[in-house]
Amino acid sequence: MALIVQKYGGTSVGTTERIQNVAERIIQFRDAGHDLVVVVSAMSGETNKLITLAKEISDPPTPREFDVLLSTGEQVTIALLAMALESRGYSARSYTGSQVHILTDSAHNKARILDIDNQYMRTDLDAGRVVIVAGFQGVDAKGNITTLGRGGSDTTAVALAAALKADECQIYTDVDGVYTTDPRIVAEARRLDKITFEEMLELASLGAKVLQIRAVEFASKYNVPLRVLSSFDEPGSQNSTLIAAEEEEDNKMEQALISGIAFNRDEAKLTLQGVPDQPGVAYKILGPVADANIEVDMIIQNMGADNNTTDFTFTVHRNDYPQAKEILNQLVTSLGAKEATFDNKIVKISMVGVGMRSHAGIASEMFQALAEEGINIKMIATSEIKISVVVDEKYLELAVRTLHSQFNLDEEAVS
Ligand code: ASP
Ligand code: MG
């Protein structure tokens, strides 16, 4: 018998029929003797509807009232789910975030959880009740309702699991796990049985949108095992991906070197050529970019051909591209550079795997595989468990497919 926190996302509770389905699944766990705390999102599309309503009245609405409004989506689903359980003869109680004292800071619309008082939930669990908690919301020290940012129910679930020292936090969604890459790009993409927190963070931040990044960070910090499963699978299905701390054996020779390939089409590349090379150039270029609140991802600085100048290249999110372009055009004059060049038809492709730590030569194998397909690499960045390249966006599919088969990601790792 275990204490399990389950989280059901918007599509899993998208209709009353789906909610009944969730109730049936919860009952199976109850009947198996487990204690359950269940976190739910708003029914799919509801949060967006609330945002539209608010904007019809006031754009932007005051953050406090916006949170009061947004938190109502989840209040609908907790009540409906509790009713579904009770009508089946199972005892359950629903709670808003503030009722179970999910204390957050006062940063409305993007609040962070500070503390959870698990006393309330314990009392119900001890009395044999399923505890149902509204995701995505909390309360600040002054009693104001707060929300945690889009996708925040994942974080609620992980935080509750950490506070209750649950055995596992199960995230039910519409996919049955984390894949080696996007199956829409590579049909052979395979569901991973297990992945480390670190790998998941790299994959998530690179665009594999299964889980809110903050939830994974939280789970990693408090060492909460996270399992991604589909609420559309038959109950009892073994399909899932476990996200957990790295173990000794994850680093064994037989282990797959690469866990997944992520890509990001949202970046753009900017270059300042022929900048007089002096101490402080990087700061002079990136200072104004940072001042404009633009986040920079990859950075490359090269010695220019004449040794007195440098070429400076970096990438930003495409939303920030027009503004970053303007800044660079001004810098050409103020820094006496040769010219600024731009490219927003790029894609960043990253291979991620803790196996890289103990194996040399993965980068060169990656570059060779791309070269054999005639794919030119425009930028490279590496970290301990990741190698990223920037290529022309027209090569996205070819590059991901090539790497997926080069590193045998379609095959089960031998163990
Ligand atoms: N309902 C909220 C949203 O759509 C929170 C969540 O689903 O996790 O962002
Ligand atoms: Mg969600």
Side-chain angles (χ1 to χ4, degrees):
M1 172 173 144
L3 170 56
I4 302 171
V5 174
Q6 298 187 332
K7 179 257 172 177
Y8 293 92
T11 50
S12 300
V13 293
T15 61
T16 48
E17 198 196 327
R18 296 289 320 152
I19 290 173
Q20 316 245 32
N21 237 292
V22 167
E24 297 293 345
R25 189 177 296 268
I26 291 170
I27 284 170
Q28 297 214 346
F29 280 90
R30 277 303 286 152
D31 288 349
H34 300 304
D35 282 337
L36 286 181
V37 173
V38 179
V39 174
V40 283
S41 291
M43 295 167 84
S44 58
E46 284 306 314
T47 307
N48 287 339
K49 272 191 212 153
L50 294 169
I51 291 172
T52 308
L53 281 180
K55 299 212 158 143
E56 280 171 23
I57 302 264
S58 163
D59 195 6
T62 57
R64 183 190 185 279
E65 299 314 321
F66 200 31
D67 275 352
V68 173
L69 179 73
L70 290 189
S71 67
T72 61
E74 272 72 11
Q75 191 166 344
V76 172
T77 41
I78 54 169
L80 291 174
L81 181 57
M83 290 174 200
L85 285 166
E86 299 227 287
S87 70
R88 285 164 173 76
Y90 285 77
S91 140
R93 269 198 194 158
S94 68
Y95 295 101
T96 63
S98 95
Q99 282 179 305
V100 283
H101 294 238
I102 298 180
L103 181 71
T104 71
D105 60 19
S106 301
H108 284 290
N109 314 154
K110 49 173 189 300
R112 291 193 167 258
I113 296 174
L114 302 174
D115 189 40
I116 293 176
D117 187 346
N118 62 34
Q119 210 42 53
Y120 300 84
M121 292 177 281
R122 287 270 176 225
T123 309
D124 278 325
L125 291 172
D126 290 345
R129 287 190 278 263
V130 177
V131 179
I132 303 171
V133 180
F136 172 60
Q137 55 181 266
V139 63
D140 75 1
K142 294 195 176 122
N144 298 298
I145 292 174
T146 54
T147 65
L148 310 179
R150 298 308 303 267
S153 299
D154 290 345
T155 301
T156 304
V158 174
L160 290 180
L164 291 161
K165 300 199 170 34
D167 296 289
E168 190 167 283
C169 181
Q170 302 179 340
I171 307 280
Y172 286 90
T173 173
D174 47 11
V175 293
D176 61 1
V178 180
Y179 279 68
T180 48
T181 195
D182 187 340
R184 284 168 300 191
I185 300 276
V186 182
E188 294 79 28
R190 201 171 43 81
R191 185 178 44 74
L192 295 157
D193 289 328
K194 191 185 165 196
I195 186 169
T196 68
F197 288 127
E198 240 186 320
E199 289 171 320
M200 188 61 217
L201 281 171
E202 292 288 5
L203 291 173
S205 62
L206 295 166
K209 299 186 185 72
V210 199
L211 283 170
Q212 202 200 28
I213 294 176
R214 263 172 68 192
V216 184
E217 285 167 354
F218 211 111
S220 165
K221 187 166 167 199
Y222 294 97
N223 202 6
V224 176
L226 263 181
R227 192 180 290 280
V228 177
L229 325 86
S230 169
S231 69
F232 294 81
D233 278 355
E234 283 303 312
S237 152
Q238 297 298 308
N239 292 353
S240 67
T241 300
L242 178 68
I243 306 161
E246 188 174 345
E247 288 166 46
E248 205 62 60
E249 61 184 54
D250 293 336
N251 230 335
K252 277 198 316 227
M253 292 287 284
E254 307 82 64
Q255 195 65 23
L257 301 179
I258 307 299
S259 293
I261 302 173
F263 51 85
N264 183 345
R265 311 176 217 237
D266 296 330
E267 290 193 28
K269 180 164 84 73
L270 305 95
T271 303
L272 205 51
Q273 280 176 7
V275 194
D277 194 9
Q278 309 150 350
V281 285
Y283 170 66
K284 279 185 193 146
I285 298 168
L286 294 183
V289 175
D291 290 344
N293 251 322
I294 298 175
E295 230 178 281
V296 170
D297 181 25
M298 291 166 99
I299 303 172
I300 293 183
Q301 187 184 335
N302 278 332
M303 188 71 83
D306 52 12
N307 274 337
N308 301 319
T309 65
T310 176
D311 294 341
F312 197 92
T313 302
F314 60 96
T315 62
V316 299
H317 195 280
R318 281 196 202 178
N319 292 344
D320 295 323
Y321 181 57
Q323 206 191 347
K325 232 169 132 171
E326 226 170 88
I327 294 171
L328 241 63
N329 280 328
Q330 283 163 11
L331 286 173
V332 173
T333 336
S334 66
L335 295 181
K338 196 164 132 260
E339 64 171 334
T341 55
F342 310 103
D343 186 357
N344 68 351
K345 303 239 173 318
I346 57 159
V347 60
K348 180 170 84 173
I349 297 172
S350 307
M351 299 203 310
V352 174
V354 290
M356 272 184 214
R357 283 206 199 103
S358 45
H359 288 264
I362 294 180
S364 63
E365 187 176 343
M366 177 185 195
F367 305 153
Q368 184 186 7
L370 295 174
E372 277 166 8
E373 294 297 331
I375 300 171
N376 186 37
I377 300 172
K378 299 174 181 238
M379 293 175 90
I380 299 170
T382 64
S383 78
E384 225 194 345
I385 65 161
K386 177 179 78 173
I387 308 169
S388 305
V389 295
V390 167
V391 301
D392 201 311
E393 69 178 4
K394 69 174 183 245
Y395 293 127
L396 168 64
E397 298 195 2
L398 178 62
V400 175
R401 276 199 202 114
T402 301
L403 296 174
H404 201 270
S405 79
Q406 176 68 34
F407 289 92
N408 303 320
L409 290 186
D410 45 347
E411 289 163 25
E412 210 64 54
V414 272
S415 53

